[in-house]
Amino acid sequence: MGCALRMASSMCATTPLSLSSSLRTNLSSSRTSRAPLISLRVSPIFQALSFQSVRTNFKNPISASASASARMAGQNKKIEKFETEEEVAVRLAKYTADLSAKFVKERGAFTVVLSGGSLIDALRKLAEAPYKDSVDWSKWHVFWVDERVVKRDHVDSNYKLALDGFLSKVPIPTGQVYAINDALSAEGAADDYETCLKHLVQRNVIATSKTTGFPKFDLMLLGMGPDGHLASLFPGHPLVNEKNKWVTCIKDSPKPPPERITFTFPVINSAAYNAMVVTGEGKASAVCTALGKSQHSETLPAQLLSAEDELTWFLDKSAASNL
C-alpha cells in the first residue's frame, strides 16, 4: 500500500512497492468505484473528564508568519482530557469517524493526514467494530505530515508504521494512500510530494483554503514530541518559519534519522480540523508550555498549531498533569 511519486508530464506516475505484500498503487486510480455509503452507527457517548475552550498565549512569536498562526490558534481550540490512553483512543475513533461521515457527505472524499509515533496506535479503535464496518473507507485519501527518508520497509518509516498498525487492517483503496518516493533524495522526495499534492488539488481531491490559498486537508491526526516538535518541525529550527513551500526537507533533524520531509506550517494550519493527540507523563511539560500554561519564554512549534475550523487536543491524565 503506498504511492511512489515522480514528476512526469505534470502527472504523478507510479512505482511498485518492494513490500512483501506486493501491493501496488496508481495515482490515476484514486477515483475508484463507489462503494455504497454506509451510515455511521451511533456508539455510546464517552464523557471527557474536562472539556473546555482555551486561549493560547504567544509572548515570543518565532516569525511574522508564525505569529499569524499563533493568533489563529486562539480561535476554535478545544482540549479534551481523559483518565487513560485507552479512553483517548476510544474518543479519537468516534471523532475521526464522525468527520469522515461529514466530509464524505459534503464533498465525496475524506483527506486524512497521519503522523508517526504513538499516534498510529491511538487509531487502533478505528479498525474495530463498529467503525471497521460503518466507515466509508472507499472515500479516504491518506497522506503523511512528515516522513523519514528511508525505504518504506525500513523500521524508521512512518509509512511502515501506519501500514502495520492501521492501514493493513482497514479497506482503504491502495491507490488512495500516498507515500513518498523512497528512491529519491530528501530534496527530490519533498519536491515530488508537493507536486503530487498540487495535482490532487487541481483535481479537487484535496480542497483549497479560501483564506490562505494552501491545500486544505479535511483532518490531520498529529502527535507531539517531548520537546514540543510536531511533524518534523523542531524547536529553534529555521524550517518552522517556512511560509512558501508546501513540503520541504530537513537534513539535520535533532532526532534520528536526520533526513526527513515535512509539511510546513502554512499547510498544517490550513487544515479544516487538526487533532493533536498526546499521552504519557513524559510530554506533560511540553503540553503545559504549548497550551500557554507555563512561564517558559521559549515558543514551541506545537504552540503554533492551529486549524481553519477547529483544533482539538486529546490528552490523557498523565499528559495533562501539569495543566
Side-chain angles (χ1 to χ4, degrees):
M1 188 179 293
C3 172
L5 309 171
R6 297 180 185 277
M7 186 187 302
S9 301
S10 301
M11 297 288 287
C12 297
T14 59
T15 300
L17 295 182
S18 58
L19 298 177
S20 59
S21 60
S22 298
L23 295 172
R24 303 172 186 272
T25 54
N26 187 332
L27 183 57
S28 64
S29 67
S30 62
R31 292 292 189 185
T32 59
S33 59
R34 291 176 175 252
L37 179 60
I38 305 173
S39 61
L40 287 170
R41 296 196 295 271
V42 179
S43 59
I45 298 176
F46 298 95
Q47 181 66 42
L49 292 178
S50 171
F51 185 83
Q52 59 180 334
S53 296
V54 299
R55 293 183 299 175
T56 48
N57 177 17
F58 293 94
K59 296 180 179 180
N60 296 281
I62 293 178
S63 70
S65 59
S67 180
S69 297
R71 289 193 296 271
M72 291 175 62
Q75 305 169 3
N76 303 319
K77 174 182 280 190
K78 297 180 180 179
I79 301 174
E80 295 193 44
K81 295 186 285 185
F82 302 87
E83 276 288 333
T84 66
E85 186 277 340
E86 176 74 6
E87 291 178 6
V88 172
V90 169
R91 170 63 180 134
L92 186 64
K94 184 178 187 306
Y95 169 87
T96 304
D98 287 349
L99 286 177
S100 174
K102 164 185 164 63
F103 282 104
V104 167
K105 181 178 180 179
E106 291 177 356
R107 52 187 303 269
F110 185 44
T111 54
V112 184
V113 179
L114 303 178
S115 59
S118 59
L119 182 279
I120 298 302
D121 186 53
L123 296 177
R124 63 188 181 275
K125 298 296 182 181
L126 275 171
E128 301 175 4
Y131 308 113
K132 186 172 184 178
D133 296 324
S134 63
V135 169
D136 190 354
W137 301 105
S138 71
K139 304 301 189 299
W140 279 47
H141 294 259
V142 179
F143 306 84
W144 275 263
V145 71
D146 73 325
E147 179 59 286
R148 290 84 179 270
V149 183
V150 296
K151 296 299 182 183
R152 281 189 292 274
D153 58 358
H154 192 281
V155 66
D156 288 331
S157 167
N158 283 341
Y159 168 81
K160 175 176 169 54
L161 179 68
L163 178 66
D164 294 346
F166 175 58
L167 296 176
S168 62
K169 301 175 183 180
V170 293
I172 300 171
T174 57
Q176 294 167 200
V177 177
Y178 308 95
I180 74 165
N181 188 334
D182 61 356
L184 300 177
S185 66
E187 297 97 331
D191 290 344
D192 187 76
Y193 209 57
E194 181 167 326
T195 297
C196 182
L197 298 186
K198 288 179 176 179
H199 174 66
L200 292 170
V201 166
Q202 291 173 356
R203 295 175 53 198
N204 290 322
V205 173
I206 303 171
T208 301
S209 167
K210 295 179 180 179
T211 302
T212 68
F214 284 93
K216 183 178 182 179
F217 290 92
D218 299 329
L219 171 64
M220 293 198 187
L221 294 160
L222 306 169
M224 182 190 72
D227 61 352
H229 85 268
L230 63 88
S232 284
L233 300 170
F234 294 91
H237 197 283
L239 287 184
V240 172
N241 298 322
E242 173 59 49
K243 57 185 178 181
N244 295 314
K245 293 182 178 180
W246 294 12
V247 185
T248 189
C249 69
I250 179 172
K251 292 187 174 182
D252 56 350
S253 167
K255 180 180 178 181
E259 293 195 349
R260 301 155 175 248
I261 75 165
T262 182
F263 282 8
T264 61
F265 264 122
V267 173
I268 294 171
N269 288 345
S270 292
Y273 290 81
N274 274 327
M276 174 59 81
V277 184
V278 189
T279 59
E281 187 177 0
K283 300 179 182 180
S285 178
V287 167
C288 186
T289 301
L291 292 177
K293 304 296 184 179
S294 170
Q295 298 302 314
H296 291 294
S297 60
E298 180 184 14
T299 300
L300 301 180
Q303 280 178 271
L304 305 176
L305 179 63
S306 65
E308 288 215 351
D309 294 350
E310 184 177 88
L311 165 63
T312 304
W313 284 69
F314 295 89
L315 309 172
D316 70 356
K317 184 177 181 179
S318 296
S321 59
N322 287 359
L323 295 179

